[in-house]
Amino acid sequence: MTRINYKSDFDFLLELRDAENRPVVWPGCDWVARFRTSSAANTYTASCIGGKTVNCYNDNGKIHVVCDAHRLSPGRLQVELHCDLPDAIYPDGHRHEVTPLPLDIELVNGPGDVTGDINVELVLPAIYLTAYDLAVRNGYTGTMAEYMEYVNRFPSVVETSETVMRLMRDIDTGKALMADALTRQGVDTAADETISDMADKVLDLRLAVEGDPSYVEHMSLLGRYDLYNEMRNHQKAKYPYMYAVTFLTDSAILSGADAYLCSDGFFSEENCEHTFPCGIEHYVIYYFRNEEFTVSPTAAHDLQKLCVFNGLPVIKLTHNELSDIAVYGDKGIIRGGTELRLSCPNLRSLSFGTLEEIDNVCYVAVDCSRLVSAAFPALKNISGGIPLYSCGKLVIATFPVLETISGSSDIAYNCYSLRTVHFPKLRVVYGGWLFDSCNSLTSLSFPALETITGGTIATSCNSLTSLSFPALETITG
């Protein structure tokens, strides 16, 4: 017990401790300490309200009380500590706690002790421990004001956190849906893959949708379809190779492929028979998993048009009513001894839109007695085969980028109505019979042809009167 003359000014350090005897730093709430001795008539007050201190100051986390002209009477010094602890369940937002305790200081009539610094302890219930106290106890070094400024940001931080959590949940849900959609398109995708990887897979699908520049509305003339654009708009990653046919009957047999899509939206991966609503023209798209497939449509007997899209097709047709054939592909080649036979008596138009090479193909158009025009806009090389065979009504054939003819190759055989052929880029001929028994040909021009090594340009072309080879440099064999 420290004794002090009751008429003397004095100061002391009031150290707060919790119920477990651990130090509690300067309270992080408003507080008032009322000091008295044996008489309650005279009291002395130290406080910190709103950060403003009276009769005290913060001394390294301890309350340094300064008793100046205190007017306290003799007796043991006691303190009644009032704290307003933040608590939202109370109307004023605070829980008022009062702790009355005696201190180890006695004010006396006689002389006091000769001492240095006076330290007294006040043991508080654990309830007095504020969040700021806990933060300091765990290493926080800022002031109470700094701590409160930080804490006051919690509502916006929590709101932002909740927004982020909702966004993450949406992303997880969306990724799961994207993974499922890609998997259903034939591209196995897990929900935990990155969004970037999923985006690459979507681009690889090459599906055209409305609003996309690659999407093309089908050219409909009196209810007739543009098959090329219909297939391009309905590509499926699981079945990247396809062909389509149109016909006028209202029912179709779906067989011979891995999947089928009809013009009325009916889709099936099983062979079946399908009935269409009434209409002028219907189509069926035949889908295939593998690039090598046979074009042998079963939808109807009397086909109108046929279009092949992608892959390495083997085409064998004998449909009497087929009038238009077009072949487009990402491979640009029909290869390896394929016997490509288009025996279609009513065929009038033939186009191989992206075919770049004919490699040892025996025939392309055979006995197509009504074929009028044939176009090979991407064909660069012919190495064995006869593109046009016994097409009696054929008038014009175009080969705008053809560069090389080699092997046992004919361009046209027994096409007795053929009048016009274009070879603007043909440079080399290695063997073959280019034109045989094409009696309506009157002239042939090869503006870029530089070398002929074996072979025959024309034979039994009885009307041929003009041949032009302005760039020809070498003839051998």
Side-chain angles (χ1 to χ4, degrees), residues 178-189 198 201-202 205:
M178 288 176 62
D180 179 64
L182 283 165
T183 300
R184 290 169 61 188
Q185 282 290 342
V187 182
D188 289 338
T189 306
M198 289 185 181
K201 290 183 176 183
V202 171
L205 292 179

Side-chain angles (χ1 to χ4, degrees), residues 119-340:
N119 289 274
V120 295
E121 293 182 354
L122 182 62
V123 179
L124 304 173
I127 196 169
Y128 282 88
L129 205 60
T130 66
Y132 175 70
D133 300 330
L134 288 172
V136 171
R137 179 172 290 179
N138 286 280
Y140 182 71
T141 58
T143 65
M144 178 64 182
E146 292 171 338
Y147 179 78
M148 292 306 297
E149 179 183 1
Y150 176 76
V151 169
N152 288 336
R153 292 167 49 201
F154 278 4
S156 61
V157 171
V158 171
E159 182 179 354
T160 301
S161 177
E162 290 176 349
T163 300
V164 171
M165 291 302 294
R166 285 196 300 270
L167 177 61
M168 293 305 296
R169 286 194 296 269
D170 288 345
I171 290 175
D172 289 341
T173 301
K175 287 181 66 180
L177 293 173
M178 288 176 62
D180 179 64
L182 283 165
T183 300
R184 290 169 61 188
Q185 282 290 342
V187 182
D188 289 338
T189 306
D192 59 356
E193 294 184 25
T194 66
I195 293 178
S196 176
D197 289 343
M198 289 185 181
D200 290 339
K201 290 183 176 183
V202 171
L203 291 175
D204 288 341
L205 292 179
R206 296 180 301 166
L207 299 178
V209 296
E210 292 187 45
D212 188 294
S214 65
Y215 178 85
V216 180
E217 289 285 353
H218 74 262
M219 302 296 292
S220 180
L221 180 62
L222 296 178
R224 298 184 182 277
Y225 291 96
D226 178 341
L227 291 179
Y228 173 73
N229 286 326
E230 288 298 318
M231 286 190 288
R232 188 169 68 170
N233 292 340
H234 293 93
Q235 296 178 77
K236 298 182 183 299
K238 186 177 181 180
Y239 305 111
Y241 313 105
M242 65 192 98
Y243 70 87
V245 292
T246 63
F247 46 88
L248 301 180
T249 57
D250 289 335
S251 64
I253 302 298
L254 307 181
S255 65
D258 296 317
Y260 313 89
L261 176 66
C262 299
S263 52
D264 60 352
F266 175 77
F267 178 79
S268 176
E269 294 180 325
E270 303 292 336
N271 296 343
C272 62
E273 183 175 359
H274 178 65
T275 300
F276 293 81
C278 294
I280 296 177
E281 184 179 69
H282 307 292
Y283 71 70
V284 171
I285 298 176
Y286 293 72
Y287 290 100
F288 299 88
R289 292 187 180 87
N290 301 317
E291 64 180 0
E292 295 183 5
F293 59 93
T294 299
V295 177
S296 182
T298 58
H301 177 70
D302 295 331
L303 301 180
Q304 303 296 306
K305 293 181 294 184
L306 178 143
C307 186
V308 181
F309 191 85
N310 291 346
L312 302 173
V314 176
I315 304 176
K316 296 182 178 181
L317 296 172
T318 57
H319 288 69
N320 293 333
E321 301 300 320
L322 195 62
S323 60
D324 295 283
I325 294 178
V327 179
Y328 302 87
D330 56 0
K331 298 296 182 182
I333 181 173
I334 297 176
R335 63 168 94 197
T338 301
E339 186 174 351
L340 177 59

Side-chain angles (χ1 to χ4, degrees), residues 11 37 58 73 91 118 136 155 164 171 219 265 298 302 329 388 417 420:
D11 65 280
T37 55
N58 188 336
S73 58
I118 302 174
V136 171
V164 171
I171 290 175
M219 302 296 292
T298 58
D302 295 331
L388 303 167
S417 298
T420 306

